[in-house]
Amino acid sequence: MVSGPVGLPAEPTVAVGAEPLAQVVRGGLVESVHLGHLVVLDAAGDVVVAVGDPEAVIWPRSSLKPLQALAMLRAGLDLPPAHLALATASHDGTDEHLAVVREILAAAGLGTSALANTPDLPLDPAAVLAWQRAGHGPASMTQNCSGKHAAMLTTCLAAGWPTDGYLDPTHPLQEAVRAVVADVAGPHAARHATVDGCGAPLFSTTLTGLARAFAHLVTAPAGSPEARVVAAMTSHPELVAGEHRDATQVMRAVPGAIAKDGADGVYAAALPGGAALAFKVLDGASRPRPAVLAEAVRLAGALQVPGVDAGALDRLAEVPVLGGGRPVGGVQAVFGPGSWPGDEEER
């Protein structure tokens, strides 16, 4: 039985109404299909593409981080752009990323022992190897959310809040985050709460609400906290994710765009001007994300953004399926014109 928040009707399972987002082709045959939900909004906020149920209620996972950073700025956080970019990050745990985490903590007079996020190894395979060769195991420092947690601790000091218990849902910091999510992600946002993988409170959104929140960020006036988040992400995309990650690639390919991945197949992005998108891969897989993301940003109008690197978006969409170590197929988005076999004439 599905149960909702006290006093509210139960939400339908996310599986209801899911439709194909991507197919996996091997040797000319469709081997697998990834279902899910997706929404693309134009600059006016109108839905221009809908796959599945755009109003599906989801856990946005780390796609929420730009909104958490916005809440921290509104509460008094003041970080330089590189540090703020890492506050929005699910970083790779490279030396570059860890150096910024240390800088954030040191500026606040804190050590790494103040971090309360779940210990883990770096995401980047080379960084994992180097970290373990140095004799280290899982640590809060190397977990991909450590930049956000360092910023949360710094926010507490700036606002005069205790750092102890900063992950408690009733802590003023987390109440401020919930208020911001409800403010910018629409009337159905933040009705549910749980705990994310890093230990921080996590608040629900609809896909449409998440897309509207990202649109709100990129259309906010210059000098606003929202604009500071966007400027940090767009000026330091390598800190938001990593050199080989899809979020970094999109932000480098489309000037002024922001993009943020989340665990379990979630993604949100917005283009300068306000077109935005969000999607959820139903099975939580990361495999189809690049192909789905590349097609969604095209449908949102990325190719009309001045300075766009269309070739980079094409390369992002190339997700090979290997056989014997060589490509024998690929992952393909299956929404938009010409996605299914026989639709070529519509292109």
Side-chain angles (χ1 to χ4, degrees), residues 61 90-94 98 115-124 127-128 131-132 136-146 196-199 263:
R61 303 301 299 271
S90 300
H91 64 73
D92 271 347
T94 66
L98 300 187
L115 295 169
N117 53 303
T118 308
D120 203 353
L121 293 169
L123 292 180
D124 179 72
V128 171
W131 184 255
Q132 291 180 316
H136 305 301
S140 294
M141 178 69 160
T142 50
Q143 197 263 346
N144 72 87
C145 302
S146 60
D196 210 342
C198 66

Tab-separated table of all heavy atoms in Angstrom, residues 61 90-94 98 115-124 127-128 131-132 136-146 196-199 263:
chain	number	residue	atom	x	y	z
A	61	ARG	N	16.982	13.557	-5.766
A	61	ARG	CA	18.340	13.173	-5.413
A	61	ARG	C	19.295	14.358	-5.577
A	61	ARG	O	18.969	15.484	-5.205
A	61	ARG	CB	18.772	11.939	-6.201
A	61	ARG	CG	17.823	10.721	-6.011
A	61	ARG	CD	17.709	10.275	-4.574
A	61	ARG	NE	18.973	9.839	-4.003
A	61	ARG	CZ	19.454	8.606	-4.053
A	61	ARG	NH1	18.767	7.654	-4.705
A	61	ARG	NH2	20.590	8.284	-3.463
A	90	SER	N	28.128	16.815	-7.361
A	90	SER	CA	28.355	15.406	-7.053
A	90	SER	C	29.716	15.107	-7.675
A	90	SER	O	29.820	14.578	-8.775
A	90	SER	CB	27.264	14.526	-7.667
A	90	SER	OG	25.995	14.874	-7.173
A	91	HIS	N	30.756	15.497	-6.973
A	91	HIS	CA	32.083	15.560	-7.581
A	91	HIS	C	32.752	14.186	-7.672
A	91	HIS	O	32.365	13.228	-7.005
A	91	HIS	CB	32.966	16.556	-6.835
A	91	HIS	CG	33.257	16.181	-5.405
A	91	HIS	ND1	34.128	15.167	-5.058
A	91	HIS	CD2	32.802	16.699	-4.229
A	91	HIS	CE1	34.203	15.073	-3.747
A	91	HIS	NE2	33.403	15.983	-3.216
A	92	ASP	N	33.808	14.129	-8.482
A	92	ASP	CA	34.514	12.879	-8.755
A	92	ASP	C	35.489	12.473	-7.666
A	92	ASP	O	36.002	11.355	-7.681
A	92	ASP	CB	35.275	12.984	-10.084
A	92	ASP	CG	34.440	12.553	-11.277
A	92	ASP	OD1	33.369	11.952	-11.080
A	92	ASP	OD2	34.871	12.807	-12.423
A	93	GLY	N	35.805	13.387	-6.757
A	93	GLY	CA	36.769	13.060	-5.712
A	93	GLY	C	38.210	13.122	-6.162
A	93	GLY	O	39.085	12.497	-5.549
A	94	THR	N	38.487	13.870	-7.225
A	94	THR	CA	39.862	14.057	-7.680
A	94	THR	C	40.596	14.990	-6.722
A	94	THR	O	39.987	15.633	-5.852
A	94	THR	CB	39.897	14.651	-9.089
A	94	THR	OG1	39.351	15.983	-9.039
A	94	THR	CG2	39.089	13.808	-10.068
A	98	LEU	N	38.975	17.647	-4.017
A	98	LEU	CA	39.249	17.558	-2.584
A	98	LEU	C	39.940	18.823	-2.082
A	98	LEU	O	39.701	19.256	-0.943
A	98	LEU	CB	40.105	16.334	-2.288
A	98	LEU	CG	39.502	14.977	-2.676
A	98	LEU	CD1	40.372	13.837	-2.164
A	98	LEU	CD2	38.071	14.828	-2.154
A	115	LEU	N	32.669	17.108	8.878
A	115	LEU	CA	31.751	16.580	7.861
A	115	LEU	C	30.977	15.386	8.413
A	115	LEU	O	31.570	14.454	8.968
A	115	LEU	CB	32.532	16.150	6.618
A	115	LEU	CG	33.243	17.252	5.835
A	115	LEU	CD1	34.177	16.639	4.801
A	115	LEU	CD2	32.227	18.160	5.155
A	116	ALA	N	29.670	15.406	8.229
A	116	ALA	CA	28.822	14.315	8.729
A	116	ALA	C	28.226	13.475	7.607
A	116	ALA	O	27.373	12.621	7.860
A	116	ALA	CB	27.704	14.889	9.600
A	117	ASN	N	28.673	13.699	6.369
A	117	ASN	CA	28.126	12.906	5.274
A	117	ASN	C	28.699	11.494	5.290
A	117	ASN	O	29.748	11.216	5.883
A	117	ASN	CB	28.382	13.577	3.918
A	117	ASN	CG	29.833	13.924	3.679
A	117	ASN	OD1	30.423	14.653	4.477
A	117	ASN	ND2	30.413	13.424	2.602
A	118	THR	N	28.010	10.586	4.634
A	118	THR	CA	28.351	9.167	4.640
A	118	THR	C	29.731	8.934	4.025
A	118	THR	O	29.987	9.371	2.905
A	118	THR	CB	27.312	8.381	3.825
A	118	THR	OG1	26.005	8.716	4.301
A	118	THR	CG2	27.546	6.883	3.945
A	119	PRO	N	30.626	8.241	4.718
A	119	PRO	CA	31.939	7.945	4.124
A	119	PRO	C	31.797	7.101	2.863
A	119	PRO	O	30.965	6.190	2.791
A	119	PRO	CB	32.663	7.169	5.228
A	119	PRO	CG	31.973	7.574	6.495
A	119	PRO	CD	30.530	7.773	6.114
A	120	ASP	N	32.621	7.397	1.867
A	120	ASP	CA	32.597	6.650	0.613
A	120	ASP	C	33.916	6.897	-0.105
A	120	ASP	O	34.692	7.790	0.258
A	120	ASP	CB	31.416	7.102	-0.252
A	120	ASP	CG	30.995	6.048	-1.276
A	120	ASP	OD1	31.693	5.018	-1.414
A	120	ASP	OD2	29.965	6.256	-1.945
A	121	LEU	N	34.161	6.116	-1.150
A	121	LEU	CA	35.321	6.299	-1.999
A	121	LEU	C	34.994	7.306	-3.102
A	121	LEU	O	33.818	7.564	-3.388
A	121	LEU	CB	35.742	4.965	-2.611
A	121	LEU	CG	36.279	3.921	-1.629
A	121	LEU	CD1	36.401	2.575	-2.320
A	121	LEU	CD2	37.616	4.360	-1.047
A	122	PRO	N	35.997	7.881	-3.760
A	122	PRO	CA	35.726	8.792	-4.875
A	122	PRO	C	34.960	8.107	-5.995
A	122	PRO	O	35.003	6.875	-6.139
A	122	PRO	CB	37.136	9.192	-5.344
A	122	PRO	CG	38.023	8.962	-4.169
A	122	PRO	CD	37.439	7.777	-3.464
A	123	LEU	N	34.273	8.903	-6.809
A	123	LEU	CA	33.551	8.357	-7.961
A	123	LEU	C	34.492	8.030	-9.114
A	123	LEU	O	34.267	7.069	-9.851
A	123	LEU	CB	32.495	9.355	-8.446
A	123	LEU	CG	31.301	9.616	-7.539
A	123	LEU	CD1	30.371	10.634	-8.198
A	123	LEU	CD2	30.543	8.340	-7.226
A	124	ASP	N	35.535	8.827	-9.289
A	124	ASP	CA	36.443	8.649	-10.419
A	124	ASP	C	37.340	7.431	-10.185
A	124	ASP	O	37.993	7.331	-9.134
A	124	ASP	CB	37.300	9.897	-10.589
A	124	ASP	CG	38.280	9.770	-11.739
A	124	ASP	OD1	37.818	9.820	-12.890
A	124	ASP	OD2	39.489	9.603	-11.475
A	127	ALA	N	40.905	8.243	-9.289
A	127	ALA	CA	40.992	8.836	-7.955
A	127	ALA	C	40.837	7.775	-6.872
A	127	ALA	O	41.511	7.841	-5.832
A	127	ALA	CB	39.919	9.916	-7.799
A	128	VAL	N	39.974	6.787	-7.105
A	128	VAL	CA	39.817	5.687	-6.151
A	128	VAL	C	41.137	4.950	-5.983
A	128	VAL	O	41.592	4.663	-4.865
A	128	VAL	CB	38.731	4.698	-6.619
A	128	VAL	CG1	38.729	3.445	-5.728
A	128	VAL	CG2	37.364	5.340	-6.583
A	131	TRP	N	43.689	7.051	-4.101
A	131	TRP	CA	43.303	7.191	-2.691
A	131	TRP	C	43.612	5.909	-1.915
A	131	TRP	O	44.149	5.951	-0.803
A	131	TRP	CB	41.819	7.532	-2.617
A	131	TRP	CG	41.279	7.809	-1.245
A	131	TRP	CD1	40.504	6.987	-0.491
A	131	TRP	CD2	41.439	9.005	-0.475
A	131	TRP	NE1	40.167	7.579	0.699
A	131	TRP	CE2	40.734	8.825	0.732
A	131	TRP	CE3	42.108	10.200	-0.695
A	131	TRP	CZ2	40.684	9.801	1.725
A	131	TRP	CZ3	42.061	11.179	0.298
A	131	TRP	CH2	41.359	10.982	1.491
A	132	GLN	N	43.287	4.770	-2.502
A	132	GLN	CA	43.529	3.500	-1.822
A	132	GLN	C	45.017	3.166	-1.766
A	132	GLN	O	45.502	2.607	-0.776
A	132	GLN	CB	42.748	2.386	-2.508
A	132	GLN	CG	41.241	2.516	-2.319
A	132	GLN	CD	40.462	1.407	-2.994
A	132	GLN	OE1	40.745	1.028	-4.131
A	132	GLN	NE2	39.464	0.883	-2.297
A	136	HIS	N	44.203	4.863	2.163
A	136	HIS	CA	42.937	5.364	2.687
A	136	HIS	C	41.767	4.462	2.291
A	136	HIS	O	41.804	3.778	1.270
A	136	HIS	CB	42.657	6.775	2.161
A	136	HIS	CG	43.748	7.755	2.432
A	136	HIS	ND1	44.190	8.058	3.702
A	136	HIS	CD2	44.497	8.522	1.584
A	136	HIS	CE1	45.152	8.963	3.632
A	136	HIS	NE2	45.355	9.253	2.359
A	137	GLY	N	40.731	4.510	3.098
A	137	GLY	CA	39.480	3.838	2.788
A	137	GLY	C	38.373	4.855	2.596
A	137	GLY	O	38.634	6.054	2.403
A	138	PRO	N	37.111	4.408	2.632
A	138	PRO	CA	35.996	5.340	2.490
A	138	PRO	C	36.063	6.468	3.527
A	138	PRO	O	36.365	6.235	4.692
A	138	PRO	CB	34.766	4.449	2.718
A	138	PRO	CG	35.232	3.073	2.355
A	138	PRO	CD	36.661	3.010	2.784
A	139	ALA	N	35.797	7.682	3.067
A	139	ALA	CA	35.864	8.857	3.945
A	139	ALA	C	34.780	9.845	3.557
A	139	ALA	O	34.348	9.890	2.398
A	139	ALA	CB	37.239	9.519	3.846
A	140	SER	N	34.353	10.642	4.518
A	140	SER	CA	33.374	11.692	4.206
A	140	SER	C	33.946	12.679	3.209
A	140	SER	O	33.236	13.205	2.348
A	140	SER	CB	32.965	12.419	5.492
A	140	SER	OG	32.256	11.555	6.356
A	141	MET	N	35.233	12.937	3.305
A	141	MET	CA	35.901	13.888	2.419
A	141	MET	C	35.781	13.485	0.957
A	141	MET	O	35.553	14.324	0.079
A	141	MET	CB	37.374	13.946	2.822
A	141	MET	CG	38.206	14.863	1.971
A	141	MET	SD	37.753	16.568	2.265
A	141	MET	CE	39.202	17.360	1.646
A	142	THR	N	35.928	12.198	0.677
A	142	THR	CA	35.946	11.736	-0.709
A	142	THR	C	34.566	11.367	-1.236
A	142	THR	O	34.421	11.100	-2.432
A	142	THR	CB	36.890	10.534	-0.865
A	142	THR	OG1	36.585	9.549	0.136
A	142	THR	CG2	38.334	10.963	-0.721
A	143	GLN	N	33.571	11.347	-0.375
A	143	GLN	CA	32.208	11.093	-0.837
A	143	GLN	C	31.754	12.258	-1.704
A	143	GLN	O	32.110	13.411	-1.451
A	143	GLN	CB	31.272	10.907	0.366
A	143	GLN	CG	29.952	10.254	0.037
A	143	GLN	CD	28.834	11.268	-0.169
A	143	GLN	OE1	28.967	12.437	0.171
A	143	GLN	NE2	27.724	10.823	-0.726
A	144	ASN	N	30.987	11.984	-2.753
A	144	ASN	CA	30.732	12.997	-3.790
A	144	ASN	C	29.958	14.227	-3.312
A	144	ASN	O	29.935	15.233	-4.014
A	144	ASN	CB	30.036	12.354	-4.991
A	144	ASN	CG	28.596	11.985	-4.713
A	144	ASN	OD1	27.690	12.795	-4.875
A	144	ASN	ND2	28.362	10.748	-4.286
A	145	CYS	N	29.348	14.162	-2.145
A	145	CYS	CA	28.570	15.298	-1.637
A	145	CYS	C	29.338	16.149	-0.626
A	145	CYS	O	28.741	17.024	0.013
A	145	CYS	CB	27.284	14.806	-0.977
A	145	CYS	SG	26.200	13.845	-2.044
A	146	SER	N	30.642	15.920	-0.470
A	146	SER	CA	31.365	16.609	0.600
A	146	SER	C	31.413	18.118	0.395
A	146	SER	O	31.474	18.879	1.368
A	146	SER	CB	32.776	16.042	0.741
A	146	SER	OG	33.524	16.188	-0.454
A	196	ASP	N	18.742	11.308	2.008
A	196	ASP	CA	19.499	10.990	0.812
A	196	ASP	C	20.685	10.095	1.170
A	196	ASP	O	20.982	9.863	2.342
A	196	ASP	CB	19.974	12.279	0.139
A	196	ASP	CG	20.107	12.149	-1.373
A	196	ASP	OD1	20.173	11.012	-1.872
A	196	ASP	OD2	20.157	13.181	-2.057
A	197	GLY	N	21.385	9.619	0.150
A	197	GLY	CA	22.489	8.704	0.378
A	197	GLY	C	23.601	9.289	1.223
A	197	GLY	O	24.293	8.574	1.950
A	198	CYS	N	23.787	10.613	1.143
A	198	CYS	CA	24.849	11.280	1.897
A	198	CYS	C	24.455	11.553	3.337
A	198	CYS	O	25.283	11.986	4.142
A	198	CYS	CB	25.239	12.587	1.224
A	198	CYS	SG	23.921	13.834	1.232
A	199	GLY	N	23.170	11.326	3.682
A	199	GLY	CA	22.691	11.570	5.034
A	199	GLY	C	21.896	12.847	5.203
A	199	GLY	O	21.290	13.075	6.256
A	263	ALA	N	21.188	10.607	-8.509
A	263	ALA	CA	21.201	9.152	-8.475
A	263	ALA	C	19.856	8.589	-8.915
A	263	ALA	O	18.840	9.295	-8.963
A	263	ALA	CB	21.539	8.670	-7.066
